[in-house]
């Protein structure tokens, strides 16, 4: 049996007030989290990652404060990593990503590898192979980044991971998992209800990383639930 009772004018007013108060509280949470310039400060053990032959340090950044060589680096790494999975859609997507990159809402965690921490000749060869524009000769060269934002999805404040991008030489060394753990800690500390992200179905390795390794589940509002093709 389906039953319902229409609300009186007074009840409707109370309900509307409750909804507005909830929205205001969520907006405040987002505003507060977004106003923090450097989320890494709260998690000192996450400033360095030394495992599996990898030695890197992390630093924070903001979309509207990126230096030109860093912007170039981001664009280039995105092209290297994402042109394949996006296929013919890449040209359009690249323009979208360029706009997203510099948004004042964009928070970044940059991964830098100190080139003089290794005496390994192979690594210096590798860094030559993967030299990206704007960082030739840089002693602490960039090797990856996370772009995340604090937004509201389905009335819930969430950390949305726009990009997690690592250079090939730093992949499969646990760094991606480490960065996502940091994002989850940032989410919890800032009272977010979830961590969300979008992965192209064609990006099989990343799908596997999020769903199998990190046990992320497909959201009810995912386009893939509406259009499973
Ligand atoms: C929201 C988004 O940003 S979607 C786009 C994600 N980014 C990309 O696709 C860019 C290219 N890829 C990358 O930058 C990285 O490989 C990431 C972010 C996908 C994963 O980060 P990594 O540091 O490589 O992952 P990490 O080492 O922590 O975990 C690896 C696990 O992910 C899966 N995985 C990652 N790379 C691979 C691979 N090349 N082949 C098979 N499985 C892989 C496996 O389950 C693997 O577990 P295992 O090594 O124990 O077998």
């Amino acid at each position: 049996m389906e039953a319902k009772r229409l609300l009186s004018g007074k009840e409707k007013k109370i309900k509307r007030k409750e909804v507005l108060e909830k929205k205001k509280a969520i907006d405040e949470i987002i505003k507060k989290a977004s106003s923090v310039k450097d989320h890494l400060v709260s998690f000192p053990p996450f400033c360095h990652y030394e495992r599996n032959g990898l030695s890197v340090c992390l630093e924070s950044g903001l979309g509207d404060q990126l230096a030109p060589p860093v912007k170039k680096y981001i664009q280039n790494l995105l092209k290297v990593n994402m042109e394949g999975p996006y296929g013919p859609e890449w040209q359009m997507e690249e323009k979208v990503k360029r706009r997203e990159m510099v948004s004042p809402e964009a928070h970044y965690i940059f991964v830098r590898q100190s080139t003089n921490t290794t005496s390994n000749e192979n690594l210096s060869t590798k860094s030559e192979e993967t030299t990206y524009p704007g960082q030739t000769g840089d002693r602490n060269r960039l090797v990856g980044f996370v772009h995340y934002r604090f937004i509201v999805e389905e009335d819930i404040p969430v950390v949305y991971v726009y990009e997690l991008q690592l250079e090939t030489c730093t992949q499969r060394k646990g760094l991606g998992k480490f960065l996502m753990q940091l994002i989850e800690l940032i989410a919890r500390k800032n009272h977010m209800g979830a961590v969300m992200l979008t992965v192209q179905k064609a990006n099989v390795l990343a799908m596997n990383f999020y769903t199998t390794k990190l046990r992320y589940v497909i959201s009810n509002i995912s386009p893939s639930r509406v259009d499973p093709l």
Side-chain angles (χ1 to χ4, degrees):
M1 182 191 87
E2 218 175 43
K4 72 175 174 188
R5 180 178 73 81
L6 294 177
L7 296 178
S8 69
K10 193 177 169 196
E11 283 171 323
K12 273 188 196 160
K13 213 170 151 187
I14 293 171
K15 188 95 191 129
R16 205 161 37 235
K17 197 172 164 219
E18 277 172 12
V19 170
L20 284 175
E21 273 169 6
K22 194 177 161 207
K23 188 180 172 308
K24 204 174 148 200
I26 291 172
D27 288 347
E28 276 304 313
I29 289 174
I30 295 285
K31 207 169 139 192
K32 198 168 168 209
S34 301
S35 70
V36 178
K37 302 256 179 288
D38 185 353
H39 289 280
L40 259 177
V41 169
S42 307
F43 306 102
F46 278 82
C47 290
H48 298 276
Y49 179 82
E50 286 203 43
R51 253 172 264 168
N52 304 321
L54 201 59
S55 175
V56 296
C57 53
L58 308 189
E59 67 184 37
S60 297
L62 292 169
D64 55 359
Q65 290 173 19
L66 300 176
V70 176
K71 285 186 206 168
K72 270 202 163 159
Y73 174 82
I74 292 172
Q75 286 164 10
N76 200 51
L77 182 57
L78 279 168
K79 189 175 167 65
V80 169
N81 282 351
M82 304 312 287
E83 194 171 15
Y86 274 100
E89 286 170 35
W90 174 246
Q91 267 193 334
M92 212 176 74
E93 192 57 33
E94 190 174 32
K95 289 193 190 112
V96 175
K97 287 190 186 298
R98 278 185 190 198
R99 273 198 306 276
E100 289 174 349
M101 172 180 75
V102 291
S103 163
E105 287 159 22
H107 287 256
Y108 284 89
I109 304 285
F110 289 108
V111 184
R112 287 189 183 272
Q113 186 171 40
S114 172
T115 45
N116 49 8
T117 53
T118 72
S119 53
N120 185 333
E121 236 177 79
N122 283 338
L123 264 183
S124 61
T125 316
K126 256 189 188 159
S127 75
E128 257 168 46
E129 279 169 10
T130 54
T131 293
Y132 288 81
Q135 59 174 21
T136 318
D138 196 339
R139 280 196 314 120
N140 287 313
R141 67 180 207 95
L142 284 166
V143 290
F145 69 92
V146 190
H147 164 179
Y148 64 99
R149 298 190 191 186
F150 300 96
I151 62 166
V152 181
E153 280 284 338
E154 294 281 290
D155 298 330
I156 298 171
V158 303
V159 167
Y160 208 103
V161 177
Y162 273 60
E163 307 288 349
L164 168 53
Q165 300 288 337
L166 302 177
E167 288 182 25
T168 314
C169 59
T170 57
Q171 291 176 14
R172 293 212 77 176
K173 292 179 176 178
L175 180 58
K177 187 178 175 194
F178 179 79
L179 289 165
M180 286 306 294
Q181 280 170 341
L182 171 61
I183 292 293
E184 286 166 20
L185 288 173
I186 292 173
R188 215 164 289 147
K189 186 168 172 58
N190 290 277
H191 313 289
M192 299 292 126
V195 174
M196 291 184 76
L197 46 91
T198 300
V199 188
Q200 297 305 109
K201 270 187 180 174
N203 194 350
V204 178
L205 297 179
M207 279 292 283
N208 185 32
F209 168 73
Y210 285 116
T211 58
T212 310
K213 183 99 174 170
L214 302 189
R215 295 170 192 266
Y216 275 57
V217 290
I218 313 270
S219 156
N220 284 335
I221 58 164
S222 169
S224 65
R225 286 229 191 266
V226 183
D227 171 17
L229 292 176

